[in-house]
Amino acid sequence: MPDSARSLPGLIPLPRRRQPRKPGVKHISLALQGGGSHGAFTWGVMHRLISEPRFYIDGLSGTSAGAMNAVVFADGFIKGSRQGAIDALARFWGRIAELNRLPRSFIRGIPGLSEGWQVDADPTFVLIDFMTRIWAPSQLNPFNMNPLRELLSELVDFERLRRHPDVRLFVTASNVRTCKSRLFRTHDLTVDTLLASACLPLMFKAVEIEGEHYWDGGYLGNPAIHPLINECASSDVVIIQINPLQRDEVPVTMRDILNRINEMTFNASLVREMFGIATVSSLIESGALEDDRYTTVRFHQISAEAELAKMGALSKLNTERPFLEHLHTLGYETADRWISENFERIGWESTMDVLETFV
């Protein structure tokens, strides 16, 4: 695309790629955050969205767990349409529950130690967290074993997926050497690109791709919004937020401080990008920027911030089946309420205040 035709952040160049549209069907794109096992919340949201025949999902941008949700979902859809996508995600998270599950030291429900789904005080999870801060991945995991490699290779047909450029997938990873984000599109996707997008540097060695090394994409794009704006037909972007943006209280304990640092770190890139989008959108609305090539984008958000904020950072390592199923149910029910409250507004206006949320 020549420079003169490139879009500004938050705007879509016209004319755009058009999809045949059925009456009453609304086109949306999904932005899927990463967040370890909390990605099961996104599983529930996607289950509800794809079950809604009035929606067509035009593109997906994901990071870490969000990237895996996006790719597993798309591969399932190619194999078996909407039901195939539902079944693929259920199979993926069911298998996650079987991989190296960390056992709780205490029975769930003990006040102060193992309340609800909170595991920040559980010795098993604390020990794992402590070990990853003392020893490097080359010491803890010298053979660089990652059970996700075999699982993804088994469940996703990457070769067939790459033959479908019409499936708009965007996966972000962080280049360790250059501090730049790398955006992998559908034709780039492999097991390595997904592992790179989900590579937590305290747990796994950096993933090498084409001579460069990558860490978790959440550091530089969690997730990337611009490809959904610039490369997809839909003007409605739905952000599935799993890292809380706001907390009512200032953290005091070391565990709470580390937890909040984690949340701020993995929200920083999204806040930064949405700030730019909000700035440009306000220029359009005020009349300060007049250009017929651009149109504003409508933004929406599905989140359960209050519920997820209670769970703590270490719960992102928890892959107990009941926990994952709880998150799935939470995501499904949250999306269901969102659809009931907002469906008529989609395609007409944003259902979230971008300025209030991100600026």
Side-chain angles (χ1 to χ4, degrees):
M1 179 186 298
D3 290 342
S4 59
R6 290 188 186 277
S7 68
L8 294 174
L11 309 177
I12 295 180
L14 296 177
R16 301 194 304 274
R17 180 176 59 88
R18 297 293 183 181
Q19 292 278 359
R21 301 202 175 197
K22 296 181 181 178
V25 175
K26 301 198 176 189
H27 287 223
I28 58 176
S29 295
L30 302 183
L32 314 178
Q33 276 202 322
S37 65
H38 288 194
F41 172 82
T42 301
W43 163 33
V45 172
M46 296 177 78
H47 183 177
R48 178 62 186 93
L49 293 179
I50 198 61
S51 299
E52 178 54 66
R54 296 176 295 172
F55 279 136
Y56 176 89
I57 298 175
D58 185 54
L60 302 108
S61 177
T63 296
S64 196
M68 294 188 187
N69 274 323
V71 170
V72 169
F73 176 92
D75 180 68
F77 189 88
I78 291 170
K79 294 173 180 175
S81 193
R82 291 177 182 261
Q83 189 58 50
I86 293 170
D87 293 342
L89 282 176
R91 187 160 49 248
F92 173 74
W93 285 101
R95 293 288 298 276
I96 290 292
E98 299 170 0
L99 294 179
N100 297 346
R101 183 173 64 85
L102 296 178
R104 286 177 182 253
S105 301
F106 300 114
I107 298 174
R108 186 165 65 87
I110 298 177
L113 293 177
S114 195
E115 297 179 76
W117 299 110
Q118 174 67 256
V119 295
D120 280 0
D122 188 285
T124 299
F125 289 83
V126 172
L127 177 61
I128 295 297
D129 185 50
F130 174 77
M131 291 172 62
T132 61
R133 296 176 190 276
I134 298 298
W135 292 290
S138 58
Q139 296 170 299
L140 286 175
N141 186 8
F143 297 105
N144 205 26
M145 304 292 290
N146 190 334
L148 285 172
R149 177 178 294 279
E150 182 178 349
L151 175 59
L152 290 167
S153 298
E154 177 185 340
L155 296 184
V156 177
D157 188 339
F158 285 95
E159 184 176 351
R160 175 163 57 180
L161 186 61
R162 289 192 294 271
R163 293 200 300 267
H164 284 268
D166 53 308
V167 177
R168 301 282 170 155
L169 289 171
F170 309 97
V171 171
T172 304
S174 301
N175 189 308
V176 179
R177 187 181 61 82
T178 66
C179 196
K180 295 179 180 179
S181 64
R182 167 80 183 270
L183 193 67
F184 297 97
R185 293 170 173 80
T186 306
H187 62 271
D188 300 314
L189 294 178
T190 64
V191 173
D192 281 335
T193 57
L194 283 189
L195 294 182
S197 182
C199 180
L200 293 172
L202 297 184
M203 301 188 72
F204 298 103
K205 296 178 183 178
V207 177
E208 183 177 357
I209 300 174
E210 298 171 354
E212 294 287 355
H213 291 78
Y214 296 92
W215 280 339
D216 195 296
Y219 295 109
L220 299 175
N222 193 19
I225 303 297
H226 63 88
L228 298 178
I229 294 175
N230 299 331
E231 300 182 38
C232 295
S234 173
S235 297
D236 289 79
V237 175
V238 182
I239 301 171
I240 302 178
Q241 183 93 27
I242 61 176
N243 295 288
L245 283 164
Q246 298 186 27
R247 283 189 175 270
D248 295 331
E249 299 177 355
V250 175
V252 176
T253 68
M254 183 53 66
R255 172 52 54 197
D256 288 342
I257 291 171
L258 290 172
N259 184 24
R260 189 56 180 157
I261 291 173
N262 178 277
E263 291 171 350
M264 293 175 72
T265 299
F266 281 94
N267 276 319
S269 59
L270 178 63
V271 170
R272 210 164 36 243
E273 188 170 10
M274 293 303 291
F275 173 80
I277 289 169
T279 300
V280 174
S281 295
S282 65
L283 291 174
I284 297 175
E285 293 169 2
S286 68
L289 178 63
E290 297 181 2
D291 193 321
D292 292 339
R293 292 178 303 161
Y294 304 114
T295 182
T296 55
V297 181
R298 296 174 290 273
F299 285 98
H300 316 274
Q301 183 186 60
I302 301 178
S303 66
E305 191 163 82
E307 291 86 349
L308 292 173
K310 297 175 184 176
M311 296 177 181
L314 291 186
S315 67
K316 293 179 180 180
L317 301 177
N318 186 3
T319 58
E320 292 176 292
R321 186 179 298 276
F323 180 54
L324 300 181
E325 291 175 347
H326 167 74
L327 289 171
H328 169 270
T329 300
L330 177 62
Y332 189 97
E333 293 176 348
T334 301
D336 187 65
R337 286 193 299 272
W338 178 81
I339 293 171
S340 298
E341 295 169 2
N342 298 291
F343 184 81
E344 296 303 324
R345 298 171 63 190
I346 299 167
W348 296 97
E349 61 181 352
S350 294
T351 60
M352 68 178 293
D353 188 326
V354 174
L355 285 172
E356 181 180 344
T357 304
F358 295 102
V359 178

